[in-house]
Amino acid sequence: MAKHNCYLVRATPTSNSTTPVASLIEPFQLQNYGNEYAEIQELKSRLGWSSAVEVAKFYDHKGTDTWYHYVYGQPNGKKEGKSKNEAVSRAGHHGTDIYGDVAVIRSGPGEGPSEEQQVFTASWLAKSLDFYKTNDARDVFAKRERSRFQRKMGM
């Protein structure tokens, strides 16, 4: 399976798939990965977005606590009449609804993802999003942050 450093998660299905979340995911290789300002400029330029901001973060389905999925989106998606992005709304740590297409990368506090972990498959992302069908996003985020903090403090 091909690995990329970024994926778009569409607010509405773009293809037929046996896994509904998987049908929403498209590879989107960021040329400026690792530089937040440049990432934002690239998303705006390539996707025609007027702005791009963090709309969510969510951890993966395997228990990782050294990095998370960082989600860029358009802050005025609802006002602009965009469809609700159900998959990312469910996974996002803020517990708020997200509207429109989003771009998902791996990022994190402190150590963040290793160079090898910066690229991942669409299947991995789909599994991580599906994980939040049965797990509370805010609870998972709080537990992983606590685990990361305790490890950092030597606890």
Side-chain angles (χ1 to χ4, degrees), residues 31-146:
Q31 302 306 313
N32 293 304
Y33 179 85
N35 177 321
E36 185 175 2
Y37 177 78
E39 289 171 354
I40 289 170
Q41 296 309 310
E42 182 178 349
L43 290 168
K44 289 167 50 177
S45 173
R46 290 178 59 195
L47 296 173
W49 291 358
S50 59
S51 63
V53 298
E54 174 201 315
V55 294
K57 296 179 215 170
F58 62 94
Y59 280 101
D60 71 355
H61 61 289
K62 290 287 191 179
T64 302
D65 67 359
T66 56
W67 56 263
Y68 43 68
H69 294 287
Y70 186 90
V71 184
Y72 287 111
Q74 300 172 81
N76 297 318
K78 185 175 183 176
K79 289 180 188 175
E80 294 173 0
K82 305 217 184 287
S83 298
K84 182 178 174 185
N85 195 314
E86 297 284 348
V88 179
S89 293
R90 184 174 44 245
H93 76 298
H94 294 305
T96 58
D97 291 338
I98 297 164
Y99 291 84
D101 298 340
V102 299
V104 180
I105 64 170
R106 284 185 175 171
S107 187
E111 62 272 21
S114 69
E115 191 170 320
E116 182 180 296
Q117 294 169 329
Q118 292 172 5
V119 292
F120 54 105
T121 65
S123 173
W124 180 273
L125 179 56
K127 289 175 185 174
S128 292
L129 289 167
D130 280 340
F131 172 75
Y132 291 97
K133 288 180 178 177
T134 57
N135 291 277
D136 181 84
R138 288 176 284 190
D139 184 50
V140 170
F141 198 86
K143 286 178 181 174
R144 306 268 180 97
E145 288 289 291
R146 187 169 38 257

